[in-house]
Amino acid sequence: MTAPRGRRPERAARDTVWTTALAVPAVVLVAALLLPLAGLVLTASPAELAGGLRHPLVGPALRLSLLTTVIAVAFIIVAGTPLAWFLARWRTRTGRALEVLVQIPVVVPPAVAGLALLLAFGRHGLFGPALGRIGVGLPFSTPAVVLAEIFVAAPFFLQGAVDAFRRVNEDLLVVAHSLGAGRTRVFFTIAVPLALPGLVGGAAMAWARALGEFGATLMFAGNLTGRTQTLPLAIYTALESDLSAARAIALILMAVAFALLLAIRAGSRR
Amino acid sequence: MSMARVAAVFALAAALFARAAAAAPPPQELVVFEAASLTDAFASLAEKFRAAHAGIKVTANAAGSQELRTQIEHGAKADVFASADLKHMDKLRQAGLVLAPTVFACNQPVVVVRPGSGVKAFVDLASVDRLVIGAPGVPIGTYTDQILAAAGKQLGGDWVKRVQARIVSRELNVRQVLAKVTLGEADAGIVYRSDATAAKGKGTAITIAIPDAFNVTAEYPIAALAAAPRADLAAAWINLVMSPAGQALLAQHGFTACPKK
C-alpha cells in the first residue's frame, strides 16, 4: 500500500491485460478438455443409449474388463505396496535407478508395450518357449489381458505409493521401534495407515489406466468376445458396425473413470 | 516488455495468421485414404505418381475401410478413397460424400499359415491350434464369415463349429491378422491374396488357396471425394490406378482382374 495514489489506475489496467493474457490460453485448454466429452454425452439420445447397451458385445466386455482390472489392481496393490516401501526407503543409487526403471511403461506407447510383451512372452519370444514347456501359452488368453494391464498401470500406483511413504514422518517409525514394535507392526499399523490416502489415490489412478488399456491388449492378447475383448476393444469393434453401441460403451467407461476420479479426490483430501 | 506491448504483438500475429490463411495456396499434397490391404500396392503407385507430378506429396492413410469411412463421414480432409468392399463406398456415395466410384481391382481371400503349422489344405483349419481372422464388420471378417458359411454347407455345420472353436482373435484390420501369423503367434489366418504376396517374400507365411466353391471375390472401388481439396490430383491418381501400368503393378502385388459380369 506504499505505491503513490496516482499510479493506481495504470496498474489496474496492467493487471487486466495480464489476467486476460493468462485467461485466454487457460480457457482454450479447458475447452479442448471438455468439448470432446460434451460431444460424447450430448449427441447420444437415451433410446439410442439403451439400445447400444443391449448390443451383444457390451455385456461380455463389461464383465471381462471388471474381472481383469480387479485382478490386475489387486496384484498391483499386494506386490506394489512392499516395492514402493523399499523404493521410498532405499536411498542408494540402485534404489533410485530401480525407481526410474519401473516408471518406463508410463512413457512407452501402448503399441510398443504390446510388441514388447509379445517379444517377451509370445510363442517365439524370450521367455515364451520356456513357458510353453510348462504348458503356459499367454498370447490370446485372459491372463495376457491382465498382464498387459499390470504392465501399463503398475507405475501409476508405484508413483503415488512411493511419494506417500516418503511423506511418512521417519521419527514416528523410530519411536515405535524404540517402544518395542516389530518391523511388521510398524509397517502395518503406522506406515500404511499414514500413507493410505496416497495408496488409495495411486490405486485409483492405476485402475483407471488399466480400464482404458487398449493398444497393448490388442497386440498381445488379441480381440475375442468374452476372452480378451475388454471395453476399449469392444468400442473399436463396435465402431465397425454400430456407432450407437460404441458410444454406449464409451459412456460406461467414462462414467467408471469419472467415479474413480472422484475417489482419487476424496482419497487425497483426507 | 509491457503487457500492452505483448497484447499488440499478439494482435499483429493473429492478423498475419488470418491473412496467411486466407491467401493459402492449394495444398501441394494428394491425400489418399486406402484400405489396409492396399498399403504396399499404393506405395509403389505413389512412386510412379510422384515421378509424373513433381513437387506433389502423396500422403497415405491406410486403415480398415470402415474406419476410413467413419473418418470421411466426420469431415476428414482427403482427395481419394479406395475401399476393400462396396458396402462402405456405397454408404459414402449415398451420403454424397464421394463422386461415382469405379471398381479398380479384385482380391481373393486365402489362408496363410505359419511354416510348420501342419495345415496343408483349407479343411485342416478345423484342427489348427490358433486361428486368427478379421472382426465382423471389417471387410475381411465379413468375407471370412461368408466363406465359412458356404464351406459349412458342404463340410457340415460340425466342421464350422470346430473351426470357430479354433479362433483366438478377431483382428480389426487385415494387416493385423497377417502380423499375428508372421510373428508366429497364430498358426493360421485368413487374409487377401495381396497380403499373402507381401509376406511371401519374407518366408514367414505359406499361402493355401480356398476352394473356389466356397470363396468370394472382394471388389475394390475407388472414388474421388466430393470435397477433395485437389480434385485434379484425385482424378490423376484414379487415372494412374486404372492405366495399364497401374493395373500391372496391382497384379504384381497379388490383386486379380475382376471376373466379367
Side-chain angles (χ1 to χ4, degrees), chain A residues 209-245:
Chain A
R209 180 66 189 85
L211 263 182
E213 193 347 88
F214 172 73
T217 309
L218 186 62
M219 196 89 169
F220 181 48
N223 180 34
L224 194 68
T225 307
R227 200 189 306 173
T228 59
Q229 189 179 74
T230 54
L231 285 172
L233 271 68
I235 293 179
Y236 236 79
T237 308
L239 212 49
E240 318 294 354
S241 51
D242 187 352
L243 182 64
S244 65

PDB file of all heavy atoms in Angstrom, chain A residues 209-245:
ATOM      1  N   ARG A 209      -6.218 -46.439 -15.462  1.00  0.00           N
ATOM      2  CA  ARG A 209      -5.320 -46.722 -16.592  1.00  0.00           C
ATOM      3  C   ARG A 209      -5.540 -48.148 -17.104  1.00  0.00           C
ATOM      4  O   ARG A 209      -5.550 -48.386 -18.305  1.00  0.00           O
ATOM      5  CB  ARG A 209      -3.866 -46.514 -16.143  1.00  0.00           C
ATOM      6  CG  ARG A 209      -2.830 -46.757 -17.200  1.00  0.00           C
ATOM      7  CD  ARG A 209      -2.942 -45.741 -18.321  1.00  0.00           C
ATOM      8  NE  ARG A 209      -2.081 -46.095 -19.450  1.00  0.00           N
ATOM      9  CZ  ARG A 209      -2.432 -46.931 -20.411  1.00  0.00           C
ATOM     10  NH1 ARG A 209      -3.621 -47.487 -20.403  1.00  0.00           N
ATOM     11  NH2 ARG A 209      -1.600 -47.203 -21.400  1.00  0.00           N
ATOM     12  N   ALA A 210      -5.742 -49.094 -16.172  1.00  0.00           N
ATOM     13  CA  ALA A 210      -5.961 -50.496 -16.569  1.00  0.00           C
ATOM     14  C   ALA A 210      -7.267 -50.625 -17.352  1.00  0.00           C
ATOM     15  O   ALA A 210      -7.329 -51.332 -18.365  1.00  0.00           O
ATOM     16  CB  ALA A 210      -5.983 -51.397 -15.335  1.00  0.00           C
ATOM     17  N   LEU A 211      -8.308 -49.910 -16.909  1.00  0.00           N
ATOM     18  CA  LEU A 211      -9.600 -49.968 -17.601  1.00  0.00           C
ATOM     19  C   LEU A 211      -9.487 -49.441 -19.020  1.00  0.00           C
ATOM     20  O   LEU A 211     -10.134 -49.931 -19.935  1.00  0.00           O
ATOM     21  CB  LEU A 211     -10.611 -49.092 -16.859  1.00  0.00           C
ATOM     22  CG  LEU A 211     -11.555 -49.730 -15.866  1.00  0.00           C
ATOM     23  CD1 LEU A 211     -12.469 -48.653 -15.306  1.00  0.00           C
ATOM     24  CD2 LEU A 211     -12.369 -50.838 -16.497  1.00  0.00           C
ATOM     25  N   GLY A 212      -8.654 -48.428 -19.210  1.00  0.00           N
ATOM     26  CA  GLY A 212      -8.546 -47.796 -20.520  1.00  0.00           C
ATOM     27  C   GLY A 212      -7.551 -48.473 -21.439  1.00  0.00           C
ATOM     28  O   GLY A 212      -7.434 -48.110 -22.602  1.00  0.00           O
ATOM     29  N   GLU A 213      -6.827 -49.462 -20.939  1.00  0.00           N
ATOM     30  CA  GLU A 213      -5.760 -50.106 -21.722  1.00  0.00           C
ATOM     31  C   GLU A 213      -6.322 -50.643 -23.042  1.00  0.00           C
ATOM     32  O   GLU A 213      -7.294 -51.365 -23.070  1.00  0.00           O
ATOM     33  CB  GLU A 213      -5.166 -51.222 -20.863  1.00  0.00           C
ATOM     34  CG  GLU A 213      -3.870 -51.851 -21.305  1.00  0.00           C
ATOM     35  CD  GLU A 213      -3.390 -51.567 -22.680  1.00  0.00           C
ATOM     36  OE1 GLU A 213      -2.687 -50.567 -22.860  1.00  0.00           O
ATOM     37  OE2 GLU A 213      -3.686 -52.339 -23.595  1.00  0.00           O
ATOM     38  N   PHE A 214      -5.663 -50.284 -24.134  1.00  0.00           N
ATOM     39  CA  PHE A 214      -6.164 -50.696 -25.454  1.00  0.00           C
ATOM     40  C   PHE A 214      -5.065 -51.315 -26.314  1.00  0.00           C
ATOM     41  O   PHE A 214      -5.110 -52.502 -26.644  1.00  0.00           O
ATOM     42  CB  PHE A 214      -6.776 -49.492 -26.168  1.00  0.00           C
ATOM     43  CG  PHE A 214      -7.146 -49.750 -27.599  1.00  0.00           C
ATOM     44  CD1 PHE A 214      -8.241 -50.526 -27.908  1.00  0.00           C
ATOM     45  CD2 PHE A 214      -6.378 -49.237 -28.636  1.00  0.00           C
ATOM     46  CE1 PHE A 214      -8.579 -50.791 -29.223  1.00  0.00           C
ATOM     47  CE2 PHE A 214      -6.705 -49.491 -29.957  1.00  0.00           C
ATOM     48  CZ  PHE A 214      -7.812 -50.266 -30.238  1.00  0.00           C
ATOM     49  N   GLY A 215      -4.042 -50.531 -26.610  1.00  0.00           N
ATOM     50  CA  GLY A 215      -3.049 -50.938 -27.607  1.00  0.00           C
ATOM     51  C   GLY A 215      -2.302 -52.206 -27.243  1.00  0.00           C
ATOM     52  O   GLY A 215      -2.158 -53.119 -28.064  1.00  0.00           O
ATOM     53  N   ALA A 216      -1.830 -52.278 -26.003  1.00  0.00           N
ATOM     54  CA  ALA A 216      -1.048 -53.442 -25.603  1.00  0.00           C
ATOM     55  C   ALA A 216      -1.916 -54.696 -25.587  1.00  0.00           C
ATOM     56  O   ALA A 216      -1.483 -55.776 -25.985  1.00  0.00           O
ATOM     57  CB  ALA A 216      -0.422 -53.216 -24.228  1.00  0.00           C
ATOM     58  N   THR A 217      -3.186 -54.532 -25.160  1.00  0.00           N
ATOM     59  CA  THR A 217      -4.096 -55.675 -25.125  1.00  0.00           C
ATOM     60  C   THR A 217      -4.350 -56.200 -26.531  1.00  0.00           C
ATOM     61  O   THR A 217      -4.276 -57.403 -26.788  1.00  0.00           O
ATOM     62  CB  THR A 217      -5.438 -55.264 -24.470  1.00  0.00           C
ATOM     63  OG1 THR A 217      -5.161 -54.634 -23.229  1.00  0.00           O
ATOM     64  CG2 THR A 217      -6.316 -56.464 -24.231  1.00  0.00           C
ATOM     65  N   LEU A 218      -4.640 -55.276 -27.458  1.00  0.00           N
ATOM     66  CA  LEU A 218      -4.943 -55.680 -28.831  1.00  0.00           C
ATOM     67  C   LEU A 218      -3.768 -56.441 -29.440  1.00  0.00           C
ATOM     68  O   LEU A 218      -3.921 -57.447 -30.120  1.00  0.00           O
ATOM     69  CB  LEU A 218      -5.251 -54.436 -29.667  1.00  0.00           C
ATOM     70  CG  LEU A 218      -5.725 -54.691 -31.092  1.00  0.00           C
ATOM     71  CD1 LEU A 218      -7.026 -55.451 -31.091  1.00  0.00           C
ATOM     72  CD2 LEU A 218      -5.901 -53.379 -31.828  1.00  0.00           C
ATOM     73  N   MET A 219      -2.569 -55.942 -29.165  1.00  0.00           N
ATOM     74  CA  MET A 219      -1.367 -56.523 -29.752  1.00  0.00           C
ATOM     75  C   MET A 219      -1.034 -57.866 -29.103  1.00  0.00           C
ATOM     76  O   MET A 219      -0.699 -58.826 -29.778  1.00  0.00           O
ATOM     77  CB  MET A 219      -0.217 -55.547 -29.494  1.00  0.00           C
ATOM     78  CG  MET A 219       0.974 -55.791 -30.331  1.00  0.00           C
ATOM     79  SD  MET A 219       0.769 -54.844 -31.831  1.00  0.00           S
ATOM     80  CE  MET A 219       2.392 -55.024 -32.498  1.00  0.00           C
ATOM     81  N   PHE A 220      -1.123 -57.930 -27.789  1.00  0.00           N
ATOM     82  CA  PHE A 220      -0.609 -59.074 -27.039  1.00  0.00           C
ATOM     83  C   PHE A 220      -1.699 -60.115 -26.790  1.00  0.00           C
ATOM     84  O   PHE A 220      -1.447 -61.318 -26.841  1.00  0.00           O
ATOM     85  CB  PHE A 220      -0.035 -58.569 -25.709  1.00  0.00           C
ATOM     86  CG  PHE A 220       0.549 -59.627 -24.825  1.00  0.00           C
ATOM     87  CD1 PHE A 220       1.442 -60.569 -25.324  1.00  0.00           C
ATOM     88  CD2 PHE A 220       0.222 -59.675 -23.474  1.00  0.00           C
ATOM     89  CE1 PHE A 220       1.994 -61.538 -24.503  1.00  0.00           C
ATOM     90  CE2 PHE A 220       0.775 -60.631 -22.646  1.00  0.00           C
ATOM     91  CZ  PHE A 220       1.657 -61.574 -23.162  1.00  0.00           C
ATOM     92  N   ALA A 221      -2.927 -59.657 -26.534  1.00  0.00           N
ATOM     93  CA  ALA A 221      -3.979 -60.587 -26.118  1.00  0.00           C
ATOM     94  C   ALA A 221      -4.995 -60.852 -27.224  1.00  0.00           C
ATOM     95  O   ALA A 221      -5.758 -61.809 -27.151  1.00  0.00           O
ATOM     96  CB  ALA A 221      -4.686 -60.051 -24.877  1.00  0.00           C
ATOM     97  N   GLY A 222      -4.989 -60.006 -28.261  1.00  0.00           N
ATOM     98  CA  GLY A 222      -5.948 -60.207 -29.328  1.00  0.00           C
ATOM     99  C   GLY A 222      -7.312 -59.638 -28.975  1.00  0.00           C
ATOM    100  O   GLY A 222      -7.462 -58.895 -28.003  1.00  0.00           O
ATOM    101  N   ASN A 223      -8.318 -60.002 -29.762  1.00  0.00           N
ATOM    102  CA  ASN A 223      -9.638 -59.384 -29.658  1.00  0.00           C
ATOM    103  C   ASN A 223     -10.695 -60.456 -29.852  1.00  0.00           C
ATOM    104  O   ASN A 223     -11.114 -60.733 -30.964  1.00  0.00           O
ATOM    105  CB  ASN A 223      -9.741 -58.304 -30.752  1.00  0.00           C
ATOM    106  CG  ASN A 223     -11.061 -57.585 -30.749  1.00  0.00           C
ATOM    107  OD1 ASN A 223     -11.659 -57.371 -29.697  1.00  0.00           O
ATOM    108  ND2 ASN A 223     -11.548 -57.232 -31.931  1.00  0.00           N
ATOM    109  N   LEU A 224     -11.086 -61.118 -28.752  1.00  0.00           N
ATOM    110  CA  LEU A 224     -12.110 -62.153 -28.864  1.00  0.00           C
ATOM    111  C   LEU A 224     -13.148 -61.938 -27.763  1.00  0.00           C
ATOM    112  O   LEU A 224     -12.807 -61.872 -26.582  1.00  0.00           O
ATOM    113  CB  LEU A 224     -11.482 -63.548 -28.737  1.00  0.00           C
ATOM    114  CG  LEU A 224     -12.399 -64.690 -29.171  1.00  0.00           C
ATOM    115  CD1 LEU A 224     -12.646 -64.660 -30.675  1.00  0.00           C
ATOM    116  CD2 LEU A 224     -11.820 -66.040 -28.791  1.00  0.00           C
ATOM    117  N   THR A 225     -14.418 -61.844 -28.194  1.00  0.00           N
ATOM    118  CA  THR A 225     -15.507 -61.584 -27.248  1.00  0.00           C
ATOM    119  C   THR A 225     -15.487 -62.583 -26.096  1.00  0.00           C
ATOM    120  O   THR A 225     -15.395 -63.778 -26.316  1.00  0.00           O
ATOM    121  CB  THR A 225     -16.860 -61.676 -27.985  1.00  0.00           C
ATOM    122  OG1 THR A 225     -16.802 -60.819 -29.107  1.00  0.00           O
ATOM    123  CG2 THR A 225     -18.004 -61.251 -27.081  1.00  0.00           C
ATOM    124  N   GLY A 226     -15.559 -62.060 -24.863  1.00  0.00           N
ATOM    125  CA  GLY A 226     -15.653 -62.932 -23.693  1.00  0.00           C
ATOM    126  C   GLY A 226     -14.308 -63.424 -23.187  1.00  0.00           C
ATOM    127  O   GLY A 226     -14.198 -63.846 -22.051  1.00  0.00           O
ATOM    128  N   ARG A 227     -13.270 -63.402 -24.035  1.00  0.00           N
ATOM    129  CA  ARG A 227     -11.981 -63.906 -23.565  1.00  0.00           C
ATOM    130  C   ARG A 227     -10.934 -62.803 -23.448  1.00  0.00           C
ATOM    131  O   ARG A 227     -10.248 -62.682 -22.438  1.00  0.00           O
ATOM    132  CB  ARG A 227     -11.465 -65.004 -24.492  1.00  0.00           C
ATOM    133  CG  ARG A 227     -10.413 -65.845 -23.766  1.00  0.00           C
ATOM    134  CD  ARG A 227      -9.672 -66.837 -24.657  1.00  0.00           C
ATOM    135  NE  ARG A 227     -10.549 -67.712 -25.399  1.00  0.00           N
ATOM    136  CZ  ARG A 227     -10.094 -68.554 -26.345  1.00  0.00           C
ATOM    137  NH1 ARG A 227      -8.805 -68.614 -26.627  1.00  0.00           N
ATOM    138  NH2 ARG A 227     -10.928 -69.308 -27.007  1.00  0.00           N
ATOM    139  N   THR A 228     -10.804 -61.982 -24.485  1.00  0.00           N
ATOM    140  CA  THR A 228      -9.789 -60.916 -24.425  1.00  0.00           C
ATOM    141  C   THR A 228     -10.335 -59.549 -24.850  1.00  0.00           C
ATOM    142  O   THR A 228      -9.595 -58.586 -24.876  1.00  0.00           O
ATOM    143  CB  THR A 228      -8.579 -61.254 -25.324  1.00  0.00           C
ATOM    144  OG1 THR A 228      -9.032 -61.421 -26.659  1.00  0.00           O
ATOM    145  CG2 THR A 228      -7.892 -62.514 -24.863  1.00  0.00           C
ATOM    146  N   GLN A 229     -11.628 -59.492 -25.181  1.00  0.00           N
ATOM    147  CA  GLN A 229     -12.167 -58.218 -25.667  1.00  0.00           C
ATOM    148  C   GLN A 229     -12.686 -57.373 -24.506  1.00  0.00           C
ATOM    149  O   GLN A 229     -13.802 -57.548 -24.033  1.00  0.00           O
ATOM    150  CB  GLN A 229     -13.295 -58.468 -26.670  1.00  0.00           C
ATOM    151  CG  GLN A 229     -13.749 -57.215 -27.370  1.00  0.00           C
ATOM    152  CD  GLN A 229     -14.844 -57.539 -28.361  1.00  0.00           C
ATOM    153  OE1 GLN A 229     -15.973 -57.808 -27.988  1.00  0.00           O
ATOM    154  NE2 GLN A 229     -14.500 -57.543 -29.629  1.00  0.00           N
ATOM    155  N   THR A 230     -11.843 -56.438 -24.040  1.00  0.00           N
ATOM    156  CA  THR A 230     -12.235 -55.550 -22.943  1.00  0.00           C
ATOM    157  C   THR A 230     -13.061 -54.388 -23.493  1.00  0.00           C
ATOM    158  O   THR A 230     -13.246 -54.277 -24.708  1.00  0.00           O
ATOM    159  CB  THR A 230     -10.990 -55.009 -22.239  1.00  0.00           C
ATOM    160  OG1 THR A 230     -10.153 -54.405 -23.219  1.00  0.00           O
ATOM    161  CG2 THR A 230     -10.220 -56.117 -21.538  1.00  0.00           C
ATOM    162  N   LEU A 231     -13.525 -53.505 -22.609  1.00  0.00           N
ATOM    163  CA  LEU A 231     -14.392 -52.398 -23.051  1.00  0.00           C
ATOM    164  C   LEU A 231     -13.760 -51.553 -24.161  1.00  0.00           C
ATOM    165  O   LEU A 231     -14.416 -51.266 -25.160  1.00  0.00           O
ATOM    166  CB  LEU A 231     -14.780 -51.517 -21.861  1.00  0.00           C
ATOM    167  CG  LEU A 231     -15.840 -52.103 -20.922  1.00  0.00           C
ATOM    168  CD1 LEU A 231     -15.996 -51.221 -19.687  1.00  0.00           C
ATOM    169  CD2 LEU A 231     -17.179 -52.251 -21.619  1.00  0.00           C
ATOM    170  N   PRO A 232     -12.474 -51.119 -24.013  1.00  0.00           N
ATOM    171  CA  PRO A 232     -11.918 -50.298 -25.095  1.00  0.00           C
ATOM    172  C   PRO A 232     -11.860 -51.039 -26.433  1.00  0.00           C
ATOM    173  O   PRO A 232     -12.112 -50.452 -27.485  1.00  0.00           O
ATOM    174  CB  PRO A 232     -10.506 -49.963 -24.595  1.00  0.00           C
ATOM    175  CG  PRO A 232     -10.584 -50.100 -23.121  1.00  0.00           C
ATOM    176  CD  PRO A 232     -11.568 -51.190 -22.870  1.00  0.00           C
ATOM    177  N   LEU A 233     -11.567 -52.328 -26.409  1.00  0.00           N
ATOM    178  CA  LEU A 233     -11.540 -53.098 -27.652  1.00  0.00           C
ATOM    179  C   LEU A 233     -12.946 -53.257 -28.218  1.00  0.00           C
ATOM    180  O   LEU A 233     -13.140 -53.243 -29.435  1.00  0.00           O
ATOM    181  CB  LEU A 233     -10.900 -54.480 -27.432  1.00  0.00           C
ATOM    182  CG  LEU A 233      -9.383 -54.538 -27.609  1.00  0.00           C
ATOM    183  CD1 LEU A 233      -8.680 -53.770 -26.522  1.00  0.00           C
ATOM    184  CD2 LEU A 233      -8.897 -55.967 -27.652  1.00  0.00           C
ATOM    185  N   ALA A 234     -13.922 -53.402 -27.314  1.00  0.00           N
ATOM    186  CA  ALA A 234     -15.315 -53.524 -27.764  1.00  0.00           C
ATOM    187  C   ALA A 234     -15.765 -52.233 -28.440  1.00  0.00           C
ATOM    188  O   ALA A 234     -16.501 -52.275 -29.423  1.00  0.00           O
ATOM    189  CB  ALA A 234     -16.225 -53.857 -26.584  1.00  0.00           C
ATOM    190  N   ILE A 235     -15.299 -51.074 -27.917  1.00  0.00           N
ATOM    191  CA  ILE A 235     -15.647 -49.802 -28.557  1.00  0.00           C
ATOM    192  C   ILE A 235     -15.157 -49.820 -30.000  1.00  0.00           C
ATOM    193  O   ILE A 235     -15.891 -49.522 -30.936  1.00  0.00           O
ATOM    194  CB  ILE A 235     -14.990 -48.605 -27.824  1.00  0.00           C
ATOM    195  CG1 ILE A 235     -15.588 -48.442 -26.438  1.00  0.00           C
ATOM    196  CG2 ILE A 235     -15.158 -47.316 -28.629  1.00  0.00           C
ATOM    197  CD1 ILE A 235     -14.974 -47.307 -25.634  1.00  0.00           C
ATOM    198  N   TYR A 236     -13.907 -50.211 -30.179  1.00  0.00           N
ATOM    199  CA  TYR A 236     -13.320 -50.224 -31.515  1.00  0.00           C
ATOM    200  C   TYR A 236     -14.026 -51.214 -32.423  1.00  0.00           C
ATOM    201  O   TYR A 236     -14.268 -50.939 -33.585  1.00  0.00           O
ATOM    202  CB  TYR A 236     -11.830 -50.562 -31.425  1.00  0.00           C
ATOM    203  CG  TYR A 236     -11.002 -49.504 -32.059  1.00  0.00           C
ATOM    204  CD1 TYR A 236     -10.733 -48.324 -31.373  1.00  0.00           C
ATOM    205  CD2 TYR A 236     -10.532 -49.645 -33.357  1.00  0.00           C
ATOM    206  CE1 TYR A 236      -9.995 -47.329 -31.969  1.00  0.00           C
ATOM    207  CE2 TYR A 236      -9.795 -48.655 -33.958  1.00  0.00           C
ATOM    208  CZ  TYR A 236      -9.525 -47.500 -33.255  1.00  0.00           C
ATOM    209  OH  TYR A 236      -8.807 -46.513 -33.847  1.00  0.00           O
ATOM    210  N   THR A 237     -14.353 -52.387 -31.884  1.00  0.00           N
ATOM    211  CA  THR A 237     -15.007 -53.410 -32.695  1.00  0.00           C
ATOM    212  C   THR A 237     -16.422 -52.973 -33.061  1.00  0.00           C
ATOM    213  O   THR A 237     -16.855 -53.149 -34.203  1.00  0.00           O
ATOM    214  CB  THR A 237     -15.016 -54.748 -31.943  1.00  0.00           C
ATOM    215  OG1 THR A 237     -13.682 -55.029 -31.514  1.00  0.00           O
ATOM    216  CG2 THR A 237     -15.508 -55.870 -32.826  1.00  0.00           C
ATOM    217  N   ALA A 238     -17.126 -52.374 -32.088  1.00  0.00           N
ATOM    218  CA  ALA A 238     -18.497 -51.934 -32.357  1.00  0.00           C
ATOM    219  C   ALA A 238     -18.511 -50.817 -33.390  1.00  0.00           C
ATOM    220  O   ALA A 238     -19.437 -50.700 -34.182  1.00  0.00           O
ATOM    221  CB  ALA A 238     -19.155 -51.460 -31.060  1.00  0.00           C
ATOM    222  N   LEU A 239     -17.451 -50.012 -33.392  1.00  0.00           N
ATOM    223  CA  LEU A 239     -17.357 -48.897 -34.323  1.00  0.00           C
ATOM    224  C   LEU A 239     -17.417 -49.372 -35.774  1.00  0.00           C
ATOM    225  O   LEU A 239     -17.819 -48.634 -36.662  1.00  0.00           O
ATOM    226  CB  LEU A 239     -16.054 -48.144 -34.060  1.00  0.00           C
ATOM    227  CG  LEU A 239     -16.014 -46.644 -34.309  1.00  0.00           C
ATOM    228  CD1 LEU A 239     -17.182 -45.952 -33.649  1.00  0.00           C
ATOM    229  CD2 LEU A 239     -14.710 -46.076 -33.789  1.00  0.00           C
ATOM    230  N   GLU A 240     -17.009 -50.638 -36.007  1.00  0.00           N
ATOM    231  CA  GLU A 240     -17.057 -51.184 -37.366  1.00  0.00           C
ATOM    232  C   GLU A 240     -18.483 -51.242 -37.887  1.00  0.00           C
ATOM    233  O   GLU A 240     -18.715 -51.162 -39.076  1.00  0.00           O
ATOM    234  CB  GLU A 240     -16.496 -52.609 -37.422  1.00  0.00           C
ATOM    235  CG  GLU A 240     -15.248 -52.860 -36.624  1.00  0.00           C
ATOM    236  CD  GLU A 240     -14.060 -52.110 -37.152  1.00  0.00           C
ATOM    237  OE1 GLU A 240     -14.188 -51.488 -38.211  1.00  0.00           O
ATOM    238  OE2 GLU A 240     -13.004 -52.135 -36.500  1.00  0.00           O
ATOM    239  N   SER A 241     -19.437 -51.456 -36.971  1.00  0.00           N
ATOM    240  CA  SER A 241     -20.781 -51.717 -37.460  1.00  0.00           C
ATOM    241  C   SER A 241     -21.835 -50.828 -36.817  1.00  0.00           C
ATOM    242  O   SER A 241     -22.836 -50.526 -37.428  1.00  0.00           O
ATOM    243  CB  SER A 241     -21.130 -53.187 -37.211  1.00  0.00           C
ATOM    244  OG  SER A 241     -20.864 -53.522 -35.865  1.00  0.00           O
ATOM    245  N   ASP A 242     -21.623 -50.382 -35.589  1.00  0.00           N
ATOM    246  CA  ASP A 242     -22.718 -49.787 -34.842  1.00  0.00           C
ATOM    247  C   ASP A 242     -22.205 -48.653 -33.955  1.00  0.00           C
ATOM    248  O   ASP A 242     -21.712 -48.885 -32.854  1.00  0.00           O
ATOM    249  CB  ASP A 242     -23.376 -50.889 -33.998  1.00  0.00           C
ATOM    250  CG  ASP A 242     -24.644 -50.392 -33.307  1.00  0.00           C
ATOM    251  OD1 ASP A 242     -24.909 -49.179 -33.357  1.00  0.00           O
ATOM    252  OD2 ASP A 242     -25.354 -51.223 -32.729  1.00  0.00           O
ATOM    253  N   LEU A 243     -22.337 -47.426 -34.446  1.00  0.00           N
ATOM    254  CA  LEU A 243     -21.816 -46.271 -33.707  1.00  0.00           C
ATOM    255  C   LEU A 243     -22.493 -46.113 -32.350  1.00  0.00           C
ATOM    256  O   LEU A 243     -21.862 -45.747 -31.364  1.00  0.00           O
ATOM    257  CB  LEU A 243     -21.985 -44.994 -34.539  1.00  0.00           C
ATOM    258  CG  LEU A 243     -21.436 -43.715 -33.902  1.00  0.00           C
ATOM    259  CD1 LEU A 243     -19.935 -43.804 -33.724  1.00  0.00           C
ATOM    260  CD2 LEU A 243     -21.792 -42.501 -34.739  1.00  0.00           C
ATOM    261  N   SER A 244     -23.817 -46.443 -32.278  1.00  0.00           N
ATOM    262  CA  SER A 244     -24.525 -46.199 -31.016  1.00  0.00           C
ATOM    263  C   SER A 244     -24.015 -47.142 -29.927  1.00  0.00           C
ATOM    264  O   SER A 244     -23.920 -46.757 -28.762  1.00  0.00           O
ATOM    265  CB  SER A 244     -26.033 -46.344 -31.211  1.00  0.00           C
ATOM    266  OG  SER A 244     -26.359 -47.666 -31.540  1.00  0.00           O
ATOM    267  N   ALA A 245     -23.666 -48.377 -30.301  1.00  0.00           N
ATOM    268  CA  ALA A 245     -23.101 -49.303 -29.306  1.00  0.00           C
ATOM    269  C   ALA A 245     -21.742 -48.792 -28.845  1.00  0.00           C
ATOM    270  O   ALA A 245     -21.432 -48.795 -27.656  1.00  0.00           O
ATOM    271  CB  ALA A 245     -22.975 -50.706 -29.891  1.00  0.00           C
TER     272      ALA A 245
END
